[in-house]
Amino acid sequence: MTTVTLTGGSASLQYFAAAAGNLAIVTDGMHYGWPSPSLPQILNNTSSPLCISSSEGALMAVMPLLGAIVGALTAANIVDYFGRKKTIIFTAVPFFLAWIMVAFAKTVMYLYLARFIAGVADGVTFTVVPMYIGEIAEPRIRGLLGSSCSVSWILGFLLINLIGSYLSISTTALVSSSLCVVAFVTFLWMPESPYYLLMRNKPEQAKESLRRFRGNADLDEEIKKMRVSIQTCSKARGRFFDLFTVASNRKAVIIVAGLRGFQQFSGTTAITFYAQEIFLQAGSNISSKQASIMYFTVMLIMTMVSSSIVDKAGRKPLLLISMTGSIIALFLEGTYFYIEKETSIDTSSLEYLPVAGLILFVIFFSVGMQSIPICLLGELFPTNVKAYALCLADVYFSLVAAIASKFLQVMMDNYGIHMAFYGFTICSILGLVFIICVVPETKGKSLEEIQHYLRGDQPMHYDVEMETIKIHDDNEPETNDLLIKS
């Protein structure tokens, strides 16, 4: 049986567990991306029983964001009680139910409710999966595995655009529901997080879980670091308000809130909701279905590239490159639509430009801003407040993504799509300044080392000091003990 292979213990299980957990995020991405191929089929289509107006379509698009607020608040209370594993398995149930409701919906209210339920599952998923991956991954691959959440989410967008562009709404939903079953069954075989098991005072089970993830290496030192980290965080049991009253947590909140805010106000989620609608407005020779599939394919590929190099290139350099390129692409996109919509200049020879501009945007955006903010979510917060932090981050994401999506819809309907892209450009410029001034580099640091830095205990070149410690480790075995206590 496959469990024999898995329990042999190696880094491969870390990859497999991350992939299994990310199946929930793939499903989530499919729910979020559903409006892109589906809205054009029912928007102002009087021949469809699900005919909706533009404002109804906007509400339907953002409904998962509203549900995610409920889900994130729920997750903060259950993830430390039921554990990471059981919580991830549970998410398959509401995702499956939502697809069944979409498949057999007779009125728009069924679609609203289905997407709200999917949003609740999303709130839980994006709280627990990054937490689980951050706790099982070794520092050398944590950036790659953490970034896989974004890769999986985008894969969901691509899959739903591929399926939904060529199948009916009902058939698309039924096909998509099968992935929920696969996600449920697959994660049953995964170990629980060793961090969580130590939190529940189960040291033997924690060591066995870590052995499965690390192989036959000496685990005592890592278990000791985990235990000290948990004990340090548990001296004052974590409360929600600790995110704001503890200086290191407050610093982490500012970093995450800034990155996630500027990520959304660059327009990424809004564009994914309305991808086919934007391409329809562009009037390109390429069909809106083909253009949207190209868009999400490039996004997936580039996010995979980012995930594969983030532990070598570092978080901050990729963020800077990503935001700079996005600014240029968004400005070009806005300028094209301004010339095409507001002037008498003939743009027929430039019909390729809106598609090329969005492809350029998604290339640069996916290099860093797509995946690294989610990666940092699993790195910056200590164990005792991590559930609250991820909950707050998901609620915050839902609010800013809903505002950004509504902004795009209002601008398209009332002022012209070019104004939306110019607005996204201005926000991206502010985001670039924020990255330069505020965001730290976490490449190569353990979770404990990151907390030392946020508390101001360690200099920026902490990783160099760690290399020195490793070199002298055989001669000075007490060095690591001193480091842990510091």
Side-chain angles (χ1 to χ4, degrees), residues 56 58 62 241 349 372:
E56 288 175 327
V62 302
F241 289 105
S349 61
I372 291 176

Side-chain angles (χ1 to χ4, degrees), residues 179-190:
L179 185 61
C180 304
V181 179
V182 175
F184 182 92
V185 173
T186 303
F187 208 76
L188 288 172
W189 301 98
M190 298 301 108

Side-chain angles (χ1 to χ4, degrees), residues 4 36 53 57 61 83 123 141 240 256 258 296 302 309 343 357 403 445 466:
V4 175
S36 178
S53 65
I141 59 172
F240 175 79
V256 169
F296 290 114
M302 292 308 301
I309 65 175
T343 72
I403 293 170
K445 294 179 173 64
M466 286 301 298

Side-chain angles (χ1 to χ4, degrees), residues 390-446:
L390 293 176
C391 163
L392 176 65
D394 207 51
V395 171
Y396 175 75
F397 164 79
S398 299
L399 291 174
V400 295
I403 293 170
S405 300
K406 187 64 178 178
F407 172 79
L408 176 57
Q409 182 255 323
V410 169
M411 287 295 172
M412 286 195 300
D413 291 349
N414 298 285
Y415 302 102
I417 193 172
H418 62 283
M419 292 300 293
F421 280 104
Y422 283 145
F424 292 147
T425 302
I426 293 171
C427 290
S428 297
I429 293 172
L430 296 175
L432 180 62
V433 175
F434 178 84
I435 292 168
I436 293 172
C437 298
V438 178
V439 178
E441 179 59 76
T442 61
K443 181 184 76 170
K445 294 179 173 64
S446 70

Side-chain angles (χ1 to χ4, degrees), residues 193-391:
S193 160
Y195 264 90
Y196 170 75
L197 292 171
L198 282 176
M199 287 173 62
R200 305 301 290 181
N201 198 27
K202 299 178 180 179
E204 293 304 317
Q205 294 181 36
K207 190 169 184 178
E208 174 59 20
S209 171
L210 191 63
R211 187 193 67 77
R212 293 179 64 185
F213 283 122
R214 301 291 190 266
N216 295 320
D218 182 13
L219 305 177
D220 291 338
E221 187 63 29
E222 188 167 0
I223 286 287
K224 184 178 180 180
K225 287 183 178 181
M226 288 184 184
R227 190 190 299 276
V228 171
S229 177
I230 291 169
Q231 289 174 348
T232 300
C233 294
S234 298
K235 286 180 180 178
R237 184 162 181 81
R239 301 169 301 164
F240 175 79
F241 289 105
D242 288 344
L243 292 172
F244 308 100
T245 58
V246 178
S248 59
N249 294 339
R250 188 165 59 246
K251 186 183 297 185
V253 167
I254 292 171
I255 294 167
V256 169
L259 280 178
R260 288 292 260 175
F262 289 117
Q263 179 196 56
Q264 292 310 305
F265 282 109
S266 69
T268 176
T269 300
I271 292 170
T272 57
F273 281 160
Y274 292 98
Q276 291 200 17
E277 186 71 17
I278 292 172
F279 290 126
L280 280 172
Q281 286 203 31
S284 172
N285 291 327
I286 304 174
S287 74
S288 60
K289 292 179 180 179
Q290 293 173 330
S292 62
I293 291 172
M294 287 173 54
Y295 178 86
F296 290 114
T297 300
V298 172
M299 182 185 288
L300 176 65
I301 293 171
M302 292 308 301
T303 306
M304 291 174 67
V305 170
S306 171
S307 298
S308 67
I309 65 175
V310 68
D311 285 318
K312 296 180 180 178
R315 281 63 158 160
K316 192 164 185 173
L318 292 180
L319 288 172
L320 293 172
I321 294 170
S322 178
M323 193 58 95
T324 302
S326 297
I327 291 168
I328 296 171
L330 288 167
F331 179 77
L332 291 175
E333 194 76 8
T335 300
Y336 170 84
F337 278 113
Y338 172 77
I339 295 172
E340 196 261 341
K341 302 290 185 183
E342 302 296 327
T343 72
S344 57
I345 299 174
D346 182 15
T347 59
S348 58
S349 61
L350 300 174
E351 288 184 342
Y352 67 90
L353 197 58
V355 175
L358 280 184
I359 296 298
L360 181 65
F361 166 73
V362 79
I363 287 173
F364 278 106
F365 188 83
S366 300
V367 165
M369 284 300 293
Q370 182 68 53
S371 59
I372 291 176
I374 298 177
C375 173
L376 291 176
L377 272 176
E379 294 183 329
L380 294 179
F381 295 98
T383 307
N384 67 326
V385 295
K386 188 172 289 187
Y388 295 121
L390 293 176
C391 163

